[in-house]
Amino acid sequence: MNERISESRLRRILSGLMLALFLAALDQTIVAVVLPDMARTLALPDYLPWVVSAYLLAMTVAVPIAGKLGDLFGRTRLLQGAILLFMLASLLCGLARDTGELVAARALQGIAAGAMMNCIQSLIGELIAPAERGRYQAWFSGMFAIAGLLGPLLGAWLGQWSWRGVFLINLPLGLLALLLARRGLQGLGNSQTGKQVDYLGCLLLTLGLGSVMLLITRIGHGEPWQSTEHACLLLLGAVGSLAFAFWQTRASEPLIPPALLRISTLRASLTVMLFSSFLAVGLAVLIPLQAQGSDATPLLTALAAGVPLGAFAGGRLSARLKRYKPLILMGCSALPFCLAGVAWAGSSQALLLVFLLLTGVALGLQFPTALVAVQNAAPRAQLGVATACCGLVRGLGGALGAALLMSLFVALSDSQASQAFEHVLLMCAGLAMLPLLIAWRMEDQRLAEQVASR
């Protein structure tokens, strides 16, 4: 995709991409509110938590594979295929007769969502120059946050008639996204010929990453840490990950080229993303636990509202400064103090809302800007893989944050019930100093003002 495109065509493309991203992000949260209705109508209700977890697990594993396939065969066709698969999986979810069928369909839906998210973020990297990319990535971060907020509300509204409606609504929305994407992206292609898919790498990555994510998810569901099943998953995860890393140094067309991870800016940005996702998702899990039955919606809303605010501000500033490091450093510097403020807010609801909003802003300054830094540093031919690495570390960091911080909170609540939340947040504030040190040492490159040629 080296040709210049008009502003009107770019707007058409972005409208389709934003709707597709909205669909993928919406289905992370829309399901949770109708789980009680599913339990009343479907067999095996004990497995219902996997309706949410199967989607997130499959999406995380699918992202790096989709990134490589997009680099090899073109993102336009992959995106359209992913939207069609998402619609088919949504239909299967809506027609599910028992929990097993629903979980399987949700996993298929997660695979499609992972491919959609990677294609969308990679296409932004192909169509928009790095210097301007931050403001566009900010819009997509805002859409992601809006989908997270609207999901439970839309799910509750559709659930008044039937829980199946939360899946069937994806059919008309998916069709509209497909039509908009096809119109805007028609004639744009970037496939490479003569390249082979690293099938063994895909298998090993799925085994290693899938086992790790499954282990984290099971622990997040409250299952005991020490069990034979968890030991087996840990072993499979370690063996699969090590075998994958070894194979990537031998494969002729590796899924994640080792040379890509030797780029210092890329490594630093991915590490910042990992910590930020850990803290963001972990905090979103801690807030309802701390609420203890009271309404946690205003607190979660304040946190979620701050993310797009920070992303919009960071996007505009990066476009003006033509640099990414000042924004990442600003967000990383503010985050420890904001987390400490949340911990020390005490019983003051107003102070808690303010510090949660500022925490969201600090996170929002990091997410899209770090993605822009990764895409700016990566070779054009490996843009999809680099973008996929961002999705992978965000998914892994979020899963770790949810499982570990929830377990830590529960453990501290047994002995320090009144101070557990404060102590966990102060630990998080201390942990947030690590990405600050990484950001401080990060190379400060100027963002390119033109889209790189392949």
Side-chain angles (χ1 to χ4, degrees):
M1 293 185 187
N2 297 333
E3 65 269 30
R4 291 182 61 85
I5 58 176
S6 64
E7 284 293 325
S8 60
R9 187 178 184 186
L10 181 60
R11 285 195 294 271
R12 289 199 303 272
I13 293 173
L14 292 179
S15 63
L17 297 184
M18 289 185 74
L19 182 55
L21 181 70
F22 179 80
L23 274 176
L26 185 71
D27 268 64
Q28 295 186 51
T29 58
I30 194 173
V31 175
V33 294
V34 294
L35 288 178
D37 296 330
M38 293 179 183
R40 287 190 290 268
T41 58
L42 294 175
L44 303 173
D46 291 344
Y47 291 94
L48 277 175
W50 287 101
V51 172
V52 177
S53 299
Y55 182 88
L56 298 174
L57 194 157
M59 182 173 65
T60 303
V61 174
V63 164
I65 298 174
K68 187 63 177 183
L69 293 177
D71 283 341
L72 292 179
F73 304 115
R75 273 171 274 280
T76 57
R77 286 183 295 174
L78 184 60
L79 175 61
Q80 293 168 25
I83 295 174
L84 286 172
L85 180 61
F86 188 85
M87 294 169 61
L88 173 62
S90 298
L91 178 61
L92 293 176
C93 288
L95 298 177
R97 295 166 297 181
D98 56 48
T99 306
E101 290 183 359
L102 182 57
V103 170
R106 281 286 284 174
L108 187 64
Q109 199 182 36
I111 292 172
M116 287 163 59
M117 287 186 176
N118 179 265
C119 288
I120 290 165
Q121 293 178 325
S122 299
L123 281 166
I124 297 173
E126 289 197 339
L127 297 170
I128 301 168
E132 297 294 325
R133 202 174 293 162
R135 70 176 62 174
Y136 289 96
Q137 292 286 11
W139 280 103
F140 281 81
S141 293
M143 179 62 72
F144 202 92
I146 290 170
L149 288 174
L150 288 180
L153 299 176
L154 184 59
W157 181 69
L158 292 171
Q160 296 179 72
W161 292 277
S162 171
W163 61 262
R164 300 180 189 273
V166 304
F167 301 113
L168 298 180
I169 190 66
N170 292 332
L171 300 181
L173 292 177
L175 182 60
L176 179 58
L178 181 63
L179 292 174
L180 289 172
R182 283 180 63 88
R183 285 185 59 191
L185 296 171
Q186 189 172 9
L188 299 177
N190 66 337
S191 59
Q192 302 177 20
T193 58
K195 299 292 186 180
Q196 298 295 319
V197 178
D198 181 14
Y199 293 107
L200 180 57
C202 293
L203 178 62
L204 292 174
L205 178 67
T206 301
L207 175 65
L209 180 61
S211 298
V212 171
M213 291 296 296
L214 183 57
L215 173 62
I216 295 170
T217 302
R218 286 171 62 93
I219 293 172
H221 287 171
E223 298 185 28
W225 288 72
Q226 296 177 336
S227 69
T228 304
E229 293 86 353
H230 288 175
C232 291
L233 285 173
L234 182 60
L235 180 62
L236 281 174
V239 171
S241 299
L242 289 173
F244 172 75
F246 175 79
W247 173 247
Q248 294 306 281
T249 64
R250 300 291 188 272
S252 58
E253 188 61 42
L255 196 64
I256 301 178
L260 188 67
L261 299 180
R262 287 196 285 267
I263 301 173
S264 60
T265 299
L266 191 141
R267 287 200 313 272
S269 300
L270 290 177
T271 306
V272 168
M273 275 192 176
L274 179 70
F275 279 102
S276 299
S277 300
F278 179 97
L279 295 169
V281 178
L283 189 57
V285 170
L286 286 176
I287 288 172
L289 292 176
Q290 170 65 9
Q292 296 180 349
S294 60
D295 188 10
T297 302
L299 304 179
L300 291 172
T301 301
L303 178 65
V307 174
L309 289 177
F312 291 142
R316 290 191 171 276
L317 284 171
S318 67
R320 182 173 299 178
L321 297 173
K322 305 293 188 293
R323 296 187 182 279
Y324 54 82
K325 180 175 178 177
L327 287 311
I328 296 176
L329 192 56
M330 189 184 304
C332 289
S333 299
L335 188 56
F337 298 100
C338 294
L339 290 170
V342 174
W344 289 327
S347 59
S348 173
Q349 184 83 348
L351 271 180
L352 193 56
L353 289 171
V354 169
F355 279 114
L356 284 171
L357 179 68
L358 292 175
T359 299
V361 170
L363 292 168
L365 285 169
Q366 298 175 51
F367 285 131
T369 316
L371 176 57
V372 170
V374 167
Q375 292 181 335
N376 185 68
R380 172 70 183 270
Q382 297 172 349
L383 185 64
V385 174
T387 304
C389 290
C390 296
L392 192 154
V393 299
R394 287 185 66 169
L396 184 60
L400 284 170
L404 297 182
L405 293 186
M406 181 174 67
S407 299
L408 181 60
F409 177 83
V410 172
L412 290 177
S413 296
D414 293 337
S415 57
Q416 311 168 28
S418 61
Q419 298 178 308
F421 184 71
E422 177 183 341
H423 288 173
V424 173
L425 262 293
L426 290 176
M427 291 179 192
C428 289
L431 184 64
M433 297 300 294
L434 292 176
L436 173 58
L437 294 175
I438 293 168
W440 186 265
R441 294 174 58 85
M442 181 186 293
E443 186 178 356
D444 188 16
Q445 297 176 339
R446 184 175 178 83
L447 293 171
E449 298 187 46
Q450 292 184 345
V451 177
S453 59
R454 183 177 286 278

